Structure formats: C-alpha cells, structure tokens
Amino acid sequence: MKKNTLIILTICSIFILHQEIIGQSETIELEIVDSLFSTSLEENREFWVKLPENYEPNGDQKYPVVYLLDGFSLQNTLETVYDNYWGHYLPHMILVGISNKNNRIKDLTTSQVKMRRGSSMDAETGGAEIFTQFIERELIPHIDNTYPTTPYRTLIGHSYAGLFTINTLINHNHLFENYIAIDPSMDWDDQKLLKQAKEKLKTKSFKGKSLYVSLAAEQLHMFDEKITIDNIMTDTSEYTLFARSIIDFSKFMESRTESGLNFSWKIYPEDLHGTVPLPSMRDGFIFLFNWYQFKTPEKYNNPDTTVEELTELLKKQEEIYLAHFGYHVPPMIEELLNGYGHMNMQMGQTERAHMFFKMNVHYYPKSANGYDSMAGYYEAQNDIPNALKFAQKAAELSDNEYYKTRIQELKNK
C-alpha cells in the first residue's frame, strides 16, 4: 500500500476516533433485511440493505447504490471489500443484496434451454427479462423511495449472475452506470448473449458505462491439466467453452473502443470459480472508481502546500465528480475533510486546518460533528465567542449530551 494511502487512512482514523469519543445518542440500524412482493415474479423477494457508516436519518446527503446478485451468499465478500476501500478509493454508497436462492437459474439465465453441458436441464430457465422487470419497476423504485439514493448505480454478478449482469449492460444499460461480471457464464445457450453483444457493440453507444470482467483460470479443463491460458483457445471441447467464451467476449470488447464503453478484464490464474469473487470485486471497484481517487494526494499531506493550492485541488476534484456522477458531490467525504482539519491542527498548520473545517461545514451543513470541530478550532485560537457560536449550532443539530457539555465548558472559560 502506498504511503499516501496510509496517511489518508490515518486521517480517517482520527475522524472515526473523534466520533467514537462523542458517541451516539441513539442507535441507528445500518443493516436491514427486508422483502418486497413482486407482481413481476408473483412472489415475495428478500433483499438486504446496508447503509453507510456516516448515514444520518435527518441528513440531506444522498448516496450511489451497489446492487449485488446472489446477495446473501456474497454479502460478506462485498462488505469486506467495501469496508476496506471506502474513503480514498470509493465513495460512501448504499449496498443492496438481492436473494436468488429459490430459483436462481430461472432468475439469471437469458434464454430457455433443455440441455446444458451434455446433460438435460431439469430446472426452469430463461427468466432474466422478468427478473430485470422486477429490478427496474419494483426494487429500484422501492430503494429510491425508502433511502437517500442517487441515480448512480453499480450491478455485480457472479457466474449465472455475471451472465445476467452483461445482459443488463447490453440490453438494459439505462439501469446502471457500472457493471462487474465475475466469471460470467457466457457459454450459455451456445454463446447466445456473446453473439448478441458482438452485434450490439457494432452500432450501439455505451458511452458513460463501465464494465469489469474476471476469469478464474486455476482449473480451465476438468480433466486435462495440460490446458492452460496460453493454449485454451485451440481446444474445442465442451469443457473449455466456459472460459473460451469469456476470453472471446473480453477480447472483442477490448477491440471495440468506438463503442465508448470503459472496459477492463483480468485473468486470475490462482483462483477457482468459487474463490474469484473476492479479488474480482476488489479490482473491479478500483477500476470502476479510478477517477474517484484523489489526484496528487501527496500535496494534501505536504505542509508546504498553500491554502490557495489546496482550494484549487479540491475545486478540480469536485469538477471530476460532477463529470462522472452527473450531479454535484463534495470534493471529499466528511471523514477526510474533518480528518485533514484535525491533522493540520496537530501540525500547527492553523490556516490549513481552518480551510478544511470551513469546507466541511459548507459541504455538510447538517453535521453536528463538523460544527463541533470548528468550535474546537476557535477554542484553540482563544476565540471563545466564535467557539460558542459553533458549539451552539452543533447542539441545535444533535441532542447528544456531549454538545451541551461543550457549550457549558466554553461558557466557563
């Protein structure tokens, strides 16, 4: 991990520690298991929602949303990746995991088949379009009406769900901006979707959309260890069709730069089909949100960088976010703005600290913690009247006893 990233993580830790000292006056439930009756599916469908750690029920901040197929079986994987990378690499987001455990193959496959890999298919198949209707007409509106969301969405799917993810991009790409297809079953129905994708990419624009595809390559052939990633495309057996389809699809996507699709793929030579979701989500998120990461982060940490330079850097970061999200977003999450403020206070860089605290109050006007930090800044400058003003504002926004105590402490000075 880069030194700059370590510094940023330390800054986040400063902010989190400050929050823990303040405490919470009430417990906010951040993980919810829910269900929705679907007229499309004619059944109840279970899903879970995880809200960001900085979520405030009375706040005005809205969040991008990540939708995870096979949501209950892959929940820990997604949460592990997200919890480790939000901040510098990822924005705060709402995570939604959709259950596919009852009739998974029907939900996620794109056409009806009677035979699969030389055996008859007993399960129902080909329900992807109906399942897409459920997501578009019922689940997304429910999430948007219940939680503070933005239209910037990401879809993640593994195996059959990876097939579904690519089908959504190719045929319903108005629903999501980002797609992660993990070891997708592109061999399904004699590569039907692969062939369709090649036709659509010739004429359809995918500008503004991003796709990351992964391939688990530890075992490419069930019975022949001589088959490697270097010679697999010369094999014609049914056993390698799965991997060959992903490679064919990915190389074609790479070649069609005129489609406007932001695309990347990766082979994982040491992973099996069942282990590849974890590294795929990690690498996929970093690729999809590469633009989100700070430009020249060392300048934020350098005490010689002037306030004017920092202000200009943050302005440019805000412009980048607007261009990608399509709506205005603060140039830093609250944790980092506040953390940089406290770090600069510790370094004796009071002008820089004031700039970060001031921006935090500006961008997060309903955060009691932001006003409390500004009160601490003025207290350190022996400006008690201004410290009291900001402490009182913090107390207006939160009924936490900590803020009332702070007011009394300042009045006693």
Side-chain angles (χ1 to χ4, degrees):
M1 187 176 287
K2 293 181 179 178
K3 182 179 180 182
N4 290 325
T5 304
L6 288 171
I7 293 173
I8 289 168
L9 291 175
T10 302
I11 292 165
C12 282
S13 298
I14 291 172
F15 175 83
I16 292 168
L17 176 61
H18 185 63
Q19 280 191 315
E20 288 175 349
I21 292 170
I22 293 173
Q24 295 258 357
S25 59
E26 60 177 328
T27 301
I28 300 171
E29 189 177 8
L30 296 181
E31 291 200 30
I32 304 102
V33 176
D34 202 351
S35 65
L36 181 68
F37 181 79
S38 167
T39 56
S40 300
L41 302 174
E42 299 182 337
E43 65 180 38
N44 274 304
R45 184 53 61 101
E46 197 174 20
F47 59 91
W48 56 262
V49 178
K50 181 174 182 180
L51 299 168
E53 290 186 8
N54 72 336
Y55 172 72
E56 290 287 345
N58 300 320
D60 56 5
Q61 187 172 353
K62 295 186 177 182
Y63 303 93
V65 187
V66 176
Y67 287 85
L68 174 67
L69 303 167
D70 293 318
F72 286 84
S73 61
L74 291 175
Q75 180 175 2
N76 290 339
T77 303
L78 175 59
E79 290 183 350
T80 296
V81 173
Y82 174 75
D83 289 344
N84 276 277
Y85 285 91
W86 69 259
H88 174 55
Y89 289 101
L90 301 174
H92 280 303
M93 295 188 283
I94 294 173
L95 311 181
V96 179
I98 313 169
S99 174
N100 295 106
K101 59 187 176 183
N102 290 334
N103 206 339
R104 181 174 183 270
I105 298 177
K106 179 183 177 182
D107 284 345
L108 302 174
T109 54
T110 51
S111 55
Q112 292 185 352
V113 301
K114 299 299 182 182
M115 299 289 293
R116 172 74 166 158
R117 294 174 183 166
S119 302
S120 60
M121 284 290 296
D122 297 327
E124 292 184 80
T125 58
E129 289 304 306
I130 295 174
F131 189 61
T132 303
Q133 289 179 20
F134 160 68
I135 292 175
E136 178 177 9
R137 300 176 187 177
E138 298 171 314
L139 183 59
I140 289 177
H142 174 80
I143 297 298
D144 288 347
N145 290 332
T146 307
Y147 303 101
T149 66
T150 74
Y152 193 88
R153 307 185 192 101
T154 299
L155 180 64
I156 304 175
H158 170 234
S159 194
Y160 286 140
L163 173 75
F164 181 93
T165 297
I166 292 175
N167 183 68
T168 306
L169 168 66
I170 299 301
N171 294 307
H172 308 279
N173 68 0
H174 60 287
L175 292 177
F176 300 89
E177 277 61 50
N178 296 326
Y179 302 80
I180 299 177
I182 304 167
D183 229 13
S185 303
M186 294 302 291
D187 60 322
W188 180 261
D189 196 3
D190 192 29
Q191 301 180 320
K192 184 175 181 179
L193 182 61
L194 170 58
K195 297 168 184 175
Q196 186 182 80
K198 288 183 175 182
E199 289 302 313
K200 291 242 177 161
L201 258 75
K202 292 177 181 177
T203 57
K204 189 174 180 179
S205 173
F206 291 85
K207 186 177 181 180
K209 307 299 178 179
S210 296
L211 170 65
Y212 182 83
V213 172
S214 66
L215 168 63
E218 199 278 336
Q219 187 180 38
L220 296 169
H221 191 296
M222 290 181 65
F223 307 113
D224 189 352
E225 63 181 20
K226 294 180 182 178
I227 298 295
T228 68
I229 201 66
D230 296 320
N231 62 24
I232 189 172
M233 297 308 286
T234 63
D235 186 75
T236 58
S237 71
E238 181 76 15
Y239 298 111
T240 60
L241 183 61
F242 182 94
R244 286 188 285 115
S245 300
I246 295 174
I247 295 169
D248 188 356
F249 172 80
S250 298
K251 288 187 174 181
F252 181 82
M253 298 296 264
E254 274 187 324
S255 70
R256 304 301 295 184
T257 55
E258 65 272 22
S259 72
L261 179 68
N262 181 35
F263 176 74
S264 183
W265 71 297
K266 185 175 179 179
I267 298 169
Y268 293 82
E270 297 181 356
D271 275 287
L272 296 164
H273 186 66
T275 65
V276 77
L278 179 59
S280 298
M281 286 190 202
R282 184 259 187 197
D283 295 341
F285 271 127
I286 290 175
F287 166 71
L288 296 175
F289 288 92
N290 178 265
W291 52 269
Y292 182 82
Q293 300 165 31
F294 296 132
K295 306 299 177 284
T296 59
E298 64 277 358
K299 290 189 176 181
Y300 292 96
N301 306 321
N302 188 341
D304 294 329
T305 306
T306 66
V307 168
E308 291 74 22
E309 288 177 302
L310 288 171
T311 303
E312 186 61 26
L313 284 172
L314 290 168
K315 179 182 176 183
K316 289 180 179 177
Q317 199 72 29
E318 192 171 8
E319 290 171 354
I320 291 170
Y321 291 170
L322 175 61
H324 284 84
F325 282 125
Y327 50 84
H328 286 281
V329 175
M332 276 189 182
I333 60 174
E334 181 184 358
E335 290 89 338
L336 283 177
L337 283 172
N338 219 25
Y340 271 119
H342 286 292
M343 184 185 78
N344 280 282
M345 286 290 287
Q346 292 176 4
M347 294 168 59
Q349 299 279 337
T350 55
E351 186 182 4
R352 286 160 53 107
H354 183 259
M355 184 273 292
F356 282 112
F357 287 140
K358 185 177 179 181
M359 279 200 170
N360 200 30
V361 168
H362 170 71
Y363 286 112
Y364 301 97
K366 292 188 178 182
S367 170
N369 188 63
Y371 288 96
D372 178 64
S373 294
M374 187 66 95
Y377 164 81
Y378 280 114
E379 182 183 13
Q381 311 311 308
N382 293 316
D383 185 346
I384 303 304
N386 268 320
L388 261 174
K389 181 180 73 172
F390 282 96
Q392 287 166 345
K393 181 63 177 178
E396 290 173 12
L397 291 169
S398 172
D399 60 0
N400 193 302
E401 286 298 320
Y402 166 84
Y403 298 115
K404 296 175 183 178
T405 302
R406 287 285 289 132
I407 291 173
Q408 193 57 51
E409 290 173 350
L410 289 168
K411 285 182 176 179
N412 292 338
K413 288 200 170 184

